[in-house]
Amino acid sequence: MFIERYNANILTDFLFYLHMTLSESIRLQYLNTIGVTVWQSRFTSEFVVPQVEHIEPEPVILAEDSITDSWGKLHSDVIQCSLCSLCTTRTQTVFGEGDLNAKWLFVGEAPGQNEDEQGKPFVGDAGQLLTEILRAMQLTREEVFITNILKCRPPQNRDPHVDEIKHCLDFLHRQMTLIQPKIIIAVGRIAAQTLLNTHEKIGKLRGSIHYFENIPLIAIYHPAYLLRSLTEKRKVWHDLQFALKTFKSLENE
Ligand code: URA
């Protein structure tokens, strides 16, 4: 009973948090789907969205003089990669961005259309939700590193093919070796299954501590899934709590 009320309070806080911070269109979509009618004052012509300070993440600076040779070499290897056919359909590669010494490494599946156009990971609707998820964890995009299993967009956002993953995984390994993260968050099914070399469902993989090359790894639902399946929101909130608890226990070791 107490636990249920406690969870309900957390959920309410989380919903309020989303309510206050998501973009108007996602927020309205979200509220509409869970059956909440947005109240609008008769005395103002427009519903005023609370302004939340939004800091654009700085792109990773990869100038030769400001970073180690390895980052420069890795970045240019990614940009020039033609190991699979995605190099013929991509607009540009999406290397990843954030703190090059981040404690948290977030790994998604592959760039989508927005990411392919902008050359940055998680910048579409799912990316916006990931940013909000980070904020709910009291993290910013600048202090974590965000990247994907694939550095190029698969056409029509199809699932990555095995040979594409095989070629691209080496880049992620090299990123991990340079970053030395304390914890890896596998964002979504494909990232989790790839890094854990399993076909287990994401529903089974979440909620446990796994390891990728001795680094603790937590699997969470993909924010795109959350946008499609808003009834799963409670599970996502639990995923975040679990990730934070795991990280804290690592800090205390
Ligand atoms: N989905 C992903 O997995 N990665 C991105 O960068 C964007 C959407």
Side-chain angles (χ1 to χ4, degrees), residues 182-224:
K182 278 215 175 321
I183 190 166
I184 299 167
I185 306 296
V187 184
R189 176 180 64 88
I190 301 272
Q193 290 180 339
T194 302
L195 293 177
L196 298 174
N197 195 19
T198 177
H199 292 296
E200 195 68 84
K201 291 198 166 104
I202 182 75
K204 283 266 163 59
L205 295 173
R206 58 182 284 277
S208 308
I209 305 178
H210 307 272
Y211 289 88
F212 180 82
E213 293 179 359
N214 290 331
I215 305 170
L217 180 151
I218 305 281
I220 66 170
Y221 280 120
H222 198 287

Side-chain angles (χ1 to χ4, degrees), residues 94 107-112 115 120-124 126-127 146-148 187 222 224:
V94 180
V107 182
E109 173 182 332
E115 291 76 19
K120 294 178 178 191
F122 282 99
V123 288
I146 305 174
T147 188
N148 284 302
V187 184
H222 198 287

Side-chain angles (χ1 to χ4, degrees), residues 81-136:
C81 180
S82 59
L83 290 173
C84 78
S85 63
L86 295 183
C87 69
T88 62
T89 49
R90 72 183 177 215
T91 305
Q92 58 192 309
T93 55
V94 180
F95 184 77
E97 65 180 9
D99 183 347
L100 301 182
N101 298 305
K103 292 179 176 171
W104 294 79
L105 174 64
F106 284 76
V107 182
E109 173 182 332
Q113 185 179 352
N114 291 296
E115 291 76 19
D116 174 71
E117 282 166 12
Q118 296 181 42
K120 294 178 178 191
F122 282 99
V123 288
D125 282 352
Q128 205 179 339
L129 191 49
L130 179 65
T131 306
E132 297 308 332
I133 285 170
L134 288 173
R135 209 178 290 195

Side-chain angles (χ1 to χ4, degrees), residues 7 24 30 32 72 74 79 87 93 127 136 144 178 187 221-222 250:
N7 281 340
E24 177 72 333
Y30 188 95
N32 187 34
L74 176 52
I79 289 179
C87 69
T93 55
V144 304
L178 288 167
V187 184
Y221 280 120
H222 198 287
L250 295 171

